[in-house]
Each structure stands twice: as C-alpha cells, then as structure tokens.
Amino acid sequence: MSGFSAELIDYLEGRITFEEFDKRRDERRAKVPESEETEVSAEGVEEEEDAQPSTSAQIPGIKDDGVSPGVQLAFASMLGETLRPPSSEEEAEEEEEEDSMSYVDDEDDEDYKVEEAEKAKVDVEVEVKKQRRRGKGGGGGRRGRGHRKRREEEEENEEDEEDPSVGDVFALEMELNRENKKMMRERRHRSKLPRALRGLMGEANIRYARGEKEDAIMMCMEIIRQAPLAYEPFSTLAMIYEDDEDMEKALQFGLIAAHLNPSDGEEWIRLAEMSLEQDNIRQAILCYTKAIKYNPTNVRYLWERSSLHMRLGEHKHCMDGYRRILSLLPMEDGEHFMQLSKDMAKSYYESSDLTSALGVIEDALLRHPSLVSDDFINMAAELYIASRQYNKALEVLVQFTGLLLIRDEAAAEVVEPKQEEREAESTTEEEEKKSDEETKSETVEETAAEQKGEIKDVQVPDSVPVDLRAKLMVCLIHLHVFTPLEGLVSTLMEQSAEEIGDLYLDVAEAYLEEGEYMTALPLLSALVISEKYNLAVVWLRHAECLKALGHMEVAAESYTKVVEMAPLHLEARLSLATLQQQLGRPECALKALESMYDSETLAQDSSAAQKELKLLLHRSTLLKTQGRIQDYLDSTITMISMLLKVAMQRAKVCVRSVIVSGENHLRLVKVKDMQTEIDDQEAAYLDNTGKTNVLSKEDWWQLLVSCVLTLCDVQRYEEAELMVESAMEFYSFYDNKPRRKEMEFIGLSATILDRNHYNAYNYIRLMLMEKVDLPQLWNIFNQLTITSHHQRHHRFCLRLLLKHPENHALCVLCGHNAMVSGSFKHALGQYVQAFQTHSDNPLYSLCVGLTFFHMASQKYVAKRHALVLQGFSFLWRYVELRGECQESMYNLGRALHQMGLTHLAIHYYQKALTIPAPKLEGMPDDQVDLQREIAFNLSLIYQASGNMGMARQLINTHCVI
C-alpha cells in the first residue's frame, strides 16, 4: 500500500473518517503541482467517488467542449492522432475486479452508463479503423515485405490526407448511439455498492478476516444503511453468523444477498442445503427454483427439487420436474431414462392418472426399445390392461417377448420384433428416426393381421416369465380368445398358488368380468385353500363366483368368511344379509347388518358415516319387511338424527335410549335446558351434509315421512311432533315450500292426535294466514278452539278480520266470539252482515234471533218488547227455512223458556219430543238426537212449578241409561 497517498492509507485502515480524508486530499492537491496531481490521481483516485471510469482514459490536449469522450476518440482516429484507448486486457482485468461479485442490472447507475457508452464508442472506433485498413489492403497477404511496407506508408499518407466531413461525423455519432443503446439493453450484472463505500466494505472484510467480528458487523450495517441494494454486506454478515453457528441469521442474510445477486447458482444451492438442515423444505424448493432459473439444464438441481416436492406430497410438481429431466437426458443415458420413466409411471399409476402413466411408458418404448426389460414390459401391459386397451397390451407383449400369434389363415403370421435391428440401433438422430419408422410399420402390420383373422393359437417361448404369461392370458380373456387359454391356464395352475397367487387372482378376476364363472372357480378355490393367499378379497371373489353360479349356501359361507376377516367391508355385509334373507334366516341377516363403528368414529370420519348410513338403510328395510316396527323406528331415528344433528340442536330435541319390555329402544325427548355443543352451526351443517350425501334429498324426505307416519301408527304422537319440529329447522326441507307445507300438515295432525292444542293452534294459525278462504282450515280451527280453553284466538280473528273484512267464515266466527264474550251488539253486527250475504241460511236467522233475546234479557234495556218482537220474527223465519223438525222446535222452545214464557215453551218441547231424530250418514243416531236435552229442560220447568213427579218421569224415560 506504499504507492497510495498517506490520507488514503489512513482512511482504509480506519484511522480517519471519509470527511477527514476528503479534507486532507484537497489540502494536498492545493500544494502539489499539476503534473504530480495527475500522477497521483492515476494511482489512488480509483477509490474516490468522482474518479474517471475504469474503461476510459484521459486524453491530453483535447478539451471536453460538450462532445463525448468517445466522439473525441473517433475524431482523433480520423485525424490520425495516436491516442491509445485502454487495452482489452486492462479493461477485462478491471471489469473482473469490479464485477466478480455483482449481479444486478443497474441501468440507473450513471457510472455504469458512462462506462458502457465510452467502451462502446471506443470499440466501434477500433472496428472502423480495422475495416478501413482491410478495405485499402485486402490483397496484402500475397505480397512481399517490401510491398507491405510500401502499402503501409501509402495508407498512412492517405490517412493524413483524409479530411472528415460533417456527414461522416453524423453517421459515426449515430452508430455510436446505436451501440450505446445495444450495450444498455444487455444484461450486465454490476454491483450496487457505490465507489465511496467500497473502501469501507474492504475494511469490513479485513476486520472479519482478523477476527474482529463486532466491528465488521457494524461496518456492514452502516453500508446497508447507505446502500441497501448492495449484496456484499449481506454476504459478509451471512459468513460471520455462520462462523458463530447462528445458522438462522446466517440463512436469512444469505437469502437477502442471494435475492440481491440471483445469478449465483452455487450460492442458491448452498442456501437450499442450509434450509434443509433447518427442516424448511419449502424454502429449499424456492432456492432450487432460483438456481434452476439461471441454470435450467442442470439435472441434479431438477432432481433435488422434484425429490423435495415428493416429500411434501406435491405429486404434480414432482412429475413436472421429472418430465424436464427426461427431456434433458442424452441418448447415451438410456438406462437412467428407462428407470426414471418406470418410476414416473408407477407414481402416476398410484395417483390414478393412467393417461400420464401410459404417455411416459410409450415415450420410453419408442425412444429406447433395445433397453426394454421384462419389468418394463410387465408395467406397460399392466397399464394398458388397467385402461382397458387390451389390443395394445397384446401388441407390447408380442413386440418385446417374441410371442407368435397363429391366426385363422393357412399361413401363420408371425409378429415379432427384429432383434438384430434393435441391437444395431445407434444413438444418432437418423438411426433413431429409422427405428421409429420400423416400430410404426410393425404396429401397422399387427393391426392388419388382427383384421384378417382371429387368433387360433399362441406360441409362447420358454424364456417368457410367468407374470407376462398371466398378462397374456388376461388380454386373451378380455378379447374373447378362449381357444388357446386352456393350455395356458393349465400351465399356470401347474405352479404353486403359494408362489404366484396374485397371478391366479388376476386371471380369475378377468374371467369373472367376462362372465366365465365356471372357469374362474378352480383358480379361486385353489387360492382360498392356500395359506399365503387366504385373504378377504379372495374369499369375496369366491363368494361372488358361487353366488353367480347359484350355490347360495356355499356363497353365504364364503361371505361370512369375508365379514370375519374384514368386518368393515360394507358390500360383503350387504350381500351376506341378502343371501341369509333368501335362505330364510332373518336373524342371521340382521346380525350381518349390525353397526360397524362407534359414535366417536361416526362423528369424525365422514367415510365411516356414509358406510353406516348405507348399512342402517338396508337394516331398516329388512326390519320393516319382517314386521319389527320398534326396531325399524330405532334404525330410522338413528339415520334421521345423523341428518338432522344441527336442526335437533336448535329445536332442543335429543335421542335417548330407554328400556321398553326388557329391550333398549330409542326415544325422542324435548330438553328445555339443552346445552349447545356446536359453536359454528353453518359449518357443522355443511360438514353434516357431506357425511349424509350418500342418500339423495328425495330419499331422505321419503325416509322422514315414513318415520313420522310410522310413529303415528304406533301412537307415539309426541315423538312424531318432535320429529316434525326438528325437520322444520332443517334448511333443505324448510326451503322447499311444498315439502314444508306437507310437513306442517303432518305436524298439525300429530299435535291434534296428541291433544297438544297449544302447538296445534300455532300450526293452524300460520296456515290460515296464508289461505284464509279455505273452509277446511276454518273447520279445524273451530274444533281446536272448542276443545281448548284458550281465548287468544279472539284477537287473532279480529286482526285477521281487519285485513279480510269480506271473509264470510271469519265474519261468523267473530260474531260467535263476541256472543260468547257478551258483546251482543258487536255480535249482532257480524250476524246481520252474514245474514245479508246468505239470507237463505237458517243458521244466521237463528243467531240473529238469539242475539235479540240475549239483549232483551239484560237488566237495563230501553226497548225490551221491540227486541223480543224482532227476536221472534227471526226465529219464525228460522223455523220456516229449517222446517218443523226436532232441532227447530227445540230451539224455539228454548228461546221461550229463556224469556220466561214457560207455558209456550212446554208446548214446543213436547212437540219436539214427538218428532224423531234425523238420520245422518256417517254419524251415530244418538249423536244428533236432542231428546235428552229436551226432556231435561222440560223437567226444569216442571220442577219450578212443583210437579216433581212429572219431572222425575221425564228424566227416567229419556235421560237414564
């Protein structure tokens, strides 16, 4: 450092600040002559902020009069002056020194722009000179040294004589501008660290190397404060914290430095490894992605990132990475290509993506047919069979295993791949295309051969493994080629089922799918008696085969074995229950349909809940057919409670188990102080809907209606009412208006039968508000108001009358209510309104007349005789409309009895006794017979007159049973 100035050395060693350094430098410059100052600036001012760019040089004798230095160089070259631009080696060394750790395009950095512009102009000027020299002496290589010397002298003379024009200068300036813009567009990674802070950065690195880490950290923090986009201080901090074994901070600072300098792929890989050490897989994937962005052909990076995706279960991203690896692998690396293709196909198959798996396998078969192994052939055939492409599976087997397909024609056609051509296949592109064409031609020949005739026989070489033989048999079975199968199946069964039981099962399942049960039965029978393959799935196939053949007894035994080995297998339980019912064993059928899960599992596992619902549905159907109604209700209540779980919470209804006749049964109970177990009812409703979607809404509705009607049949009206109340809280039922109306009518019937008049009134009130003109609803309303002792219907009728003043039924009912409550004038108004609209109805004449009698019977009346007269006029009108019958005579006598005209009342009472009661269809005779009422009122008159004997006689004759 002896070549630098004293103040620069003190600043770099940290003895003085930058302000002190600037002050001392200005003082020294004032003392030093002009020539010495130029020499000093060439040595030390590279570290100063106002220094010349490293790619430019000072041009003595030329002043900057608004013309760029590059143009000055161009003019100097035109005039023949020997101004030397910086050499390429010096420029490369300086750029290497400045850009060794840079990464970011800094198009806004003025130093960068000036340097690029000047460099571009200098390069263009040098290129122009070279082109001019080549144009003047294009044939100089063929002359001797003397001629060459003479030519150089002539060129120098011509250059001296040249006088550049304004057009040449303008053209040169345009060319320089284009080169400048081109250089600015190029991706140049330069440091964001200003020149004024590079000394401090170097000092920080020196302090770190000396072990003074605290000072180095403080310096780096100061640089970050002044230049937050420079990556160098972050990189140094990462190294410091890594030495201190603070890996978390080291990783964070390293990530910041890497994001500020993303082109350093090795740094990203190092950060990915650090992230994995901290078990941050997601961060490691991000680091590998950044590294791959700047090195997209690195197979190792792609492989590591795909492995991390697989660890996170991101199958799609992993497979995308593997596909990129396959596209990057060279032809020479065929073994790796085939192994990776095999692994990818297996992964796709496990994720049920057969299309992608087949795509990978087909690409591998076309690209490296000479490297296809038996395992690869087996996987390809398995995938084709799984996708039901049996012809293609057979083509693969024939192409790569040497099978001979003998068809119906006289000459057996052999479809066999040419082994010599496959062995002689090279890695050049032309031979690869030739191999693809040959493979396609072989496929075309196979297709043509298949169209010519059916397969009569198959010749299998001894070298073909047994698993490929099994695949061949499966393909022939599905293609309905049964002639060659007898020998192949016999050969297969010669081998032990303990060793190749899975192949036995594959062939047997193929026979079952095609309906060949007799052929599949020996294979399955051999498996069920083995030790290794005595499994539930084998017993299930064995039972299905026996059931299809009609062997019900043996099939039931096989299904029982399946249920014992796999108690959670739903289909086996349902099939076993059906068989037991057909065999006349209802108890065994019900036993097969017992619950599979406990309540906790059903609450947490939606799949278990769906299986349990299917089981309960079959169990309830079976119980109903057997006439076990109580057990049937238990099953249906259990199912409906699973559907209405949230609704029952809102309705405060729960299911409890009670002992009835020594047996446990379920009952619906209303709980007033029920604690809500569900916080978010909407989320619970959606979750419960997902669990119960095994049945459609229509099925659930039919099940609910059946349950409610069955509850009413067994006179469990209160539970039917609670079931309806819970269903009304269920969104799917309440939002459907027709179903809601039907459920309201069912609930109304249940409450009436249960004599719950309070809830019944609530139902009928809502119905009347929607359909006020329906007479049936008013009849039900009258029955409820007669049997109940509540008076709240009075105000309801009055409010409804204000909305519907022309409603006839409502008018009469309000008159009755006013009559009962003693408001005779109001009642008279309502009755007169009804009489005006229906004057031919005898009921309204009777009501008006009785109202007048009630008004006349009051204590304080001004016109009593007029009221009596009007009352009798309406009564006689009533008798005329009704006719002389027991009812009309009784009403007339009762009115006279009320007014105190007992002698007239006796006459009409006795006349009513002599008239027989009418006979009405659908009603008992004594229900409309008024003899007891007439005799009782007549006896009261005789008692008042003292004729006790006559009163006793009437009572004994008509009232004593």
Side-chain angles (χ1 to χ4, degrees):
M1 297 175 62
S2 59
F4 296 100
S5 61
E7 64 271 12
L8 180 60
I9 295 175
D10 293 340
Y11 169 70
L12 293 177
E13 292 183 355
R15 297 192 186 98
I16 60 176
T17 62
F18 181 75
E19 291 78 5
E20 184 68 23
F21 160 74
D22 192 28
K23 181 179 179 181
R24 291 171 59 182
R25 183 194 60 182
D26 294 340
E27 293 176 355
R28 179 179 55 79
R29 281 187 173 182
K31 298 177 182 180
V32 177
E34 184 70 18
S35 60
E36 295 180 2
E37 182 178 353
T38 304
E39 182 179 358
V40 172
S41 63
E43 296 177 350
V45 182
E46 290 182 356
E47 302 296 327
E48 300 176 11
E49 185 175 1
D50 56 350
Q52 285 282 6
S54 61
T55 57
S56 63
Q58 298 289 342
I59 304 175
I62 300 177
K63 295 183 180 180
D64 188 2
D65 295 332
V67 182
S68 63
V71 177
Q72 294 178 16
L73 282 173
F75 273 111
S77 64
M78 290 179 184
L79 297 174
E81 297 180 3
T82 58
L83 296 178
R84 183 180 66 85
S87 64
S88 59
E89 295 180 357
E90 295 174 355
E91 184 179 0
E93 289 176 359
E94 187 169 354
E95 287 184 357
E96 182 179 0
E97 179 182 354
E98 293 179 355
D99 299 340
S100 60
M101 299 178 67
S102 63
Y103 80 102
V104 178
D105 291 342
D106 190 6
E107 296 182 357
D108 298 330
D109 195 340
E110 297 299 330
D111 293 339
Y112 167 64
K113 291 181 180 179
V114 172
E115 291 174 7
E116 291 297 330
E118 292 178 0
K119 181 182 177 182
K121 293 175 182 178
V122 172
D123 291 342
V124 172
E125 184 270 340
V126 174
E127 186 66 24
V128 169
K129 289 178 66 178
K130 290 181 180 179
Q131 290 178 359
R132 186 183 298 116
R133 288 176 181 175
R134 286 197 297 268
K136 296 293 183 180
R142 300 178 182 178
R143 300 175 183 178
R145 294 182 179 179
H147 291 178
R148 186 179 303 166
K149 184 175 181 181
R150 191 180 306 115
R151 186 198 64 188
E152 292 175 357
E153 292 175 358
E154 291 175 359
E155 289 177 355
E156 290 176 1
N157 293 332
E158 289 175 358
E159 290 175 358
D160 294 336
E161 293 174 1
E162 286 179 353
D163 188 10
S165 64
V166 177
D168 295 336
V169 175
F170 181 73
L172 180 60
E173 186 69 23
M174 294 293 291
E175 180 66 23
L176 293 176
N177 287 336
R178 284 195 294 270
E179 290 293 331
N180 182 26
K181 293 179 180 178
K182 181 179 178 181
M183 293 296 295
M184 294 296 291
R185 285 196 300 268
E186 292 181 356
R187 187 174 182 85
R188 298 277 298 184
H189 301 308
R190 289 191 172 273
S191 174
K192 288 285 187 177
L193 189 64
R195 294 179 181 275
L197 296 177
R198 292 181 183 179
L200 185 58
M201 188 69 248
E203 180 64 21
N205 291 329
I206 293 174
R207 295 292 179 92
Y208 165 59
R210 291 176 179 175
E212 301 174 4
K213 297 180 181 179
E214 296 295 332
D215 296 338
I217 292 174
M218 294 179 63
M219 292 181 181
C220 290
M221 290 299 180
E222 178 63 22
I223 296 172
I224 292 172
R225 186 184 67 81
Q226 298 187 35
L229 297 181
Y231 73 91
E232 290 90 342
F234 293 103
S235 180
T236 302
L237 288 173
M239 291 187 292
I240 292 173
Y241 285 114
E242 188 175 0
D243 288 346
D244 292 341
E245 297 183 355
D246 191 350
M247 303 308 295
E248 184 175 357
K249 285 189 177 181
L251 177 60
Q252 297 302 321
F253 281 109
L255 288 172
I256 297 173
H259 279 288
L260 294 174
N261 183 23
S263 61
D264 191 356
E266 294 297 330
E267 181 65 18
W268 283 114
I269 299 304
R270 189 181 70 85
L271 293 173
E273 294 173 353
M274 293 177 64
S275 300
L276 290 177
E277 291 177 359
Q278 298 184 16
D279 200 20
N280 192 346
I281 300 177
R282 187 68 63 184
Q283 183 67 53
I285 291 175
L286 178 61
C287 294
Y288 275 114
T289 302
K290 290 290 186 180
I292 292 170
K293 180 180 179 181
Y294 293 94
N295 193 0
T297 60
N298 194 309
V299 176
R300 186 176 70 86
Y301 297 169
L302 291 168
W303 183 271
E304 294 295 335
R305 188 180 66 172
S306 299
S307 301
L308 294 178
H309 279 304
M310 183 61 72
R311 288 175 59 181
L312 293 179
E314 298 174 351
H315 182 265
K316 183 180 182 301
H317 296 296
C318 177
M319 292 298 105
D320 292 342
Y322 286 156
R323 283 187 177 275
R324 289 185 61 182
I325 293 173
L326 289 179
S327 64
L328 294 174
L329 288 177
M331 293 296 297
E332 295 82 2
D333 201 0
E335 293 291 341
H336 190 194
F337 186 93
M338 298 299 286
Q339 183 61 38
L340 182 57
S341 299
K342 183 178 177 181
D343 295 338
M344 289 179 63
K346 183 178 179 181
S347 182
Y348 276 128
Y349 179 75
E350 292 175 352
S351 61
S352 301
D353 191 357
L354 294 178
T355 304
S356 301
L358 285 173
V360 173
I361 290 294
E362 289 173 352
D363 292 342
L365 292 176
L366 291 175
R367 186 169 182 178
H368 298 286
S370 61
L371 298 178
V372 177
S373 61
D374 291 339
D375 293 340
F376 207 89
I377 299 171
N378 187 31
M379 176 175 287
E382 180 71 25
L383 291 175
Y384 279 123
I385 291 172
S387 60
R388 300 188 179 278
Q389 301 181 33
Y390 307 111
N391 283 319
K392 290 187 177 181
L394 187 60
E395 290 175 7
V396 171
L397 292 173
V398 170
Q399 180 180 354
F400 294 100
T401 60
L403 298 176
L404 301 180
L405 299 181
I406 301 176
R407 300 186 179 273
D408 196 13
E409 296 180 350
E413 297 191 16
V414 179
V415 183
E416 182 181 11
K418 299 179 181 181
Q419 299 290 338
E420 297 178 357
E421 293 179 0
R422 286 190 286 145
E423 293 176 357
E425 183 186 35
S426 64
T427 58
T428 60
E429 294 181 358
E430 295 179 356
E431 292 182 358
E432 184 66 17
K433 293 180 180 179
K434 181 179 179 181
S435 176
D436 294 343
E437 292 176 358
E438 291 176 355
T439 306
K440 292 180 180 179
S441 64
E442 291 174 357
T443 306
V444 173
E445 292 176 359
E446 291 175 21
T447 306
E450 290 176 359
Q451 294 176 355
K452 290 180 180 178
E454 296 181 356
I455 301 173
K456 292 299 181 182
D457 195 7
V458 179
Q459 295 182 6
V460 184
D462 296 335
S463 59
V464 178
V466 65
D467 52 351
L468 297 182
R469 291 172 182 262
K471 297 295 185 297
L472 173 63
M473 286 185 276
V474 171
C475 294
L476 294 177
I477 290 170
H478 287 291
L479 294 175
H480 301 92
V481 182
F482 298 109
T483 304
L485 282 172
E486 296 179 1
L488 294 175
V489 174
S490 300
T491 305
L492 179 67
M493 295 190 68
E494 290 177 358
Q495 302 188 42
S496 174
E498 300 288 346
E499 298 177 357
I500 57 171
D502 55 339
L503 303 181
Y504 274 58
L505 184 60
D506 292 340
V507 177
E509 287 181 341
Y511 275 123
L512 290 177
E513 290 181 8
E514 298 300 329
E516 299 292 331
Y517 301 107
M518 288 298 297
T519 313
L521 186 59
L523 293 168
L524 295 172
S525 300
L527 288 176
V528 295
I529 62 176
S530 64
E531 295 182 1
K532 185 177 180 181
Y533 290 95
N534 184 18
L535 304 175
V537 62
V538 178
W539 279 104
L540 180 62
R541 297 291 179 266
H542 187 254
E544 292 173 353
C545 185
L546 290 172
K547 182 181 178 181
L549 293 173
H551 306 315
M552 300 298 181
E553 192 73 32
V554 187
E557 295 178 1
S558 298
Y559 276 120
T560 304
K561 192 72 174 178
V562 175
V563 174
E564 291 177 358
M565 301 177 71
L568 301 181
H569 198 288
L570 177 63
E571 299 300 330
R573 284 176 171 267
L574 299 181
S575 300
L576 177 59
T578 304
L579 282 179
Q580 296 288 12
Q581 184 73 8
Q582 292 177 0
L583 294 173
R585 304 168 185 170
E587 295 297 332
C588 296
L590 292 175
K591 185 178 180 181
L593 296 177
E594 291 179 350
S595 179
M596 298 186 297
Y597 302 95
D598 55 8
S599 58
E600 295 182 359
T601 305
L602 294 176
Q604 298 175 0
D605 191 354
S606 59
S607 177
Q610 292 179 355
K611 289 183 179 180
E612 189 71 15
L613 279 174
K614 290 182 180 180
L615 190 70
L616 287 171
L617 181 62
H618 285 76
R619 181 179 176 84
S620 63
T621 304
L622 192 60
L623 288 168
K624 192 172 184 178
T625 57
Q626 295 179 9
R628 301 176 60 174
I629 302 301
Q630 297 296 335
D631 295 331
Y632 164 75
L633 288 174
D634 291 344
S635 299
T636 54
I637 288 174
T638 303
M639 286 190 289
I640 295 174
S641 64
M642 295 174 66
L643 176 69
L644 305 180
K645 181 179 180 180
V646 181
M648 292 176 72
Q649 289 280 344
R650 288 198 296 268
K652 296 184 178 181
V653 177
C654 67
V655 180
R656 289 182 179 177
S657 177
V658 297
I659 299 177
V660 180
S661 301
E663 297 181 355
N664 288 327
H665 292 287
L666 299 180
R667 292 289 185 270
L668 293 175
V669 181
K670 184 79 170 181
V671 181
K672 295 183 179 180
D673 55 348
M674 185 176 182
Q675 296 182 356
T676 304
E677 299 177 358
I678 302 173
D679 296 331
D680 190 354
Q681 293 190 357
E682 184 175 357
Y685 170 77
L686 295 175
D687 179 66
N688 198 42
T689 304
K691 292 180 181 179
T692 56
N693 60 3
V694 65
L695 295 179
S696 64
K697 292 183 178 180
E698 182 63 27
D699 294 335
W700 278 115
W701 171 253
Q702 295 298 333
L703 184 65
L704 176 65
V705 172
S706 176
C707 179
V708 174
L709 295 180
T710 306
L711 287 171
C712 293
D713 291 339
V714 296
Q715 299 182 359
R716 292 165 59 176
Y717 304 118
E718 184 179 359
E719 294 181 59
E721 180 186 347
L722 294 177
M723 183 68 74
V724 171
E725 187 177 347
S726 300
M728 295 291 287
E729 295 286 345
F730 190 63
Y731 299 130
S732 299
F733 293 155
Y734 188 81
D735 292 342
N736 191 325
K737 188 174 181 179
R739 291 180 179 176
R740 184 174 76 244
K741 294 301 177 185
E742 184 176 353
M743 191 56 60
E744 288 177 353
F745 278 111
I746 294 175
L748 176 61
S749 302
T751 52
I752 292 175
L753 293 173
D754 192 36
R755 300 184 183 277
N756 189 347
H757 303 112
Y758 185 86
N759 289 340
Y761 173 78
N762 293 333
Y763 281 115
I764 195 64
R765 184 173 62 88
L766 295 175
M767 295 178 185
L768 283 172
M769 291 174 67
E770 294 184 3
K771 296 183 179 180
V772 70
D773 295 325
L774 193 62
Q776 292 85 348
L777 295 180
W778 286 113
N779 292 336
I780 298 174
F781 182 81
N782 289 330
Q783 290 183 3
L784 290 176
T785 55
I786 290 172
T787 54
S788 66
H789 301 286
H790 301 285
Q791 302 297 325
R792 52 179 179 163
H793 64 279
H794 291 180
R795 286 177 293 177
F796 167 72
C797 293
L798 288 175
R799 288 193 298 267
L800 201 60
L801 182 63
L802 294 176
K803 297 180 181 178
H804 307 279
E806 302 299 328
N807 186 271
H808 177 68
L810 192 59
C811 178
V812 175
L813 191 59
C814 287
H816 292 335
N817 293 334
M819 186 73 171
V820 172
S821 60
S823 301
F824 301 124
K825 292 183 179 180
H826 182 254
L828 182 61
Q830 298 297 328
Y831 288 145
V832 170
Q833 182 181 352
F835 177 78
Q836 290 175 352
T837 56
H838 298 78
S839 58
D840 295 335
N841 194 328
L843 174 64
Y844 305 135
S845 298
L846 174 63
C847 292
V848 173
L850 293 178
T851 305
F852 279 119
F853 282 130
H854 282 290
M855 293 175 64
S857 301
Q858 288 180 331
K859 186 174 182 180
Y860 301 103
V861 180
K863 300 178 180 179
R864 191 184 306 271
H865 297 287
L867 295 174
V868 173
L869 183 61
Q870 293 179 27
F872 273 112
S873 64
F874 278 97
L875 279 179
W876 282 115
R877 181 179 177 83
Y878 157 71
V879 173
E880 291 175 0
L881 294 173
R882 185 60 175 162
E884 291 189 3
C885 62
Q886 188 184 59
E887 172 197 331
S888 60
M889 294 296 103
Y890 168 72
N891 286 327
L892 186 57
R894 186 166 61 88
L896 293 169
H897 188 185
Q898 179 180 352
M899 297 304 299
L901 303 176
T902 56
H903 60 288
L904 297 176
I906 292 173
H907 171 73
Y908 289 103
Y909 278 146
Q910 290 178 350
K911 192 173 182 180
L913 284 175
T914 59
I915 299 175
K919 295 185 181 296
L920 301 179
E921 184 178 358
M923 297 183 67
D925 295 339
D926 60 346
Q927 190 169 353
V928 295
D929 191 1
L930 297 175
Q931 287 185 359
R932 288 187 290 270
E933 288 80 2
I934 297 171
F936 180 75
N937 290 346
L938 190 56
S939 67
L940 291 179
I941 296 175
Y942 285 131
Q943 286 181 1
S945 63
N947 192 351
M948 303 302 296
M950 193 62 182
R952 190 178 299 110
Q953 181 185 357
L954 288 171
I955 294 298
N956 294 333
T957 304
H958 300 284
C959 298
V960 176
I961 300 176

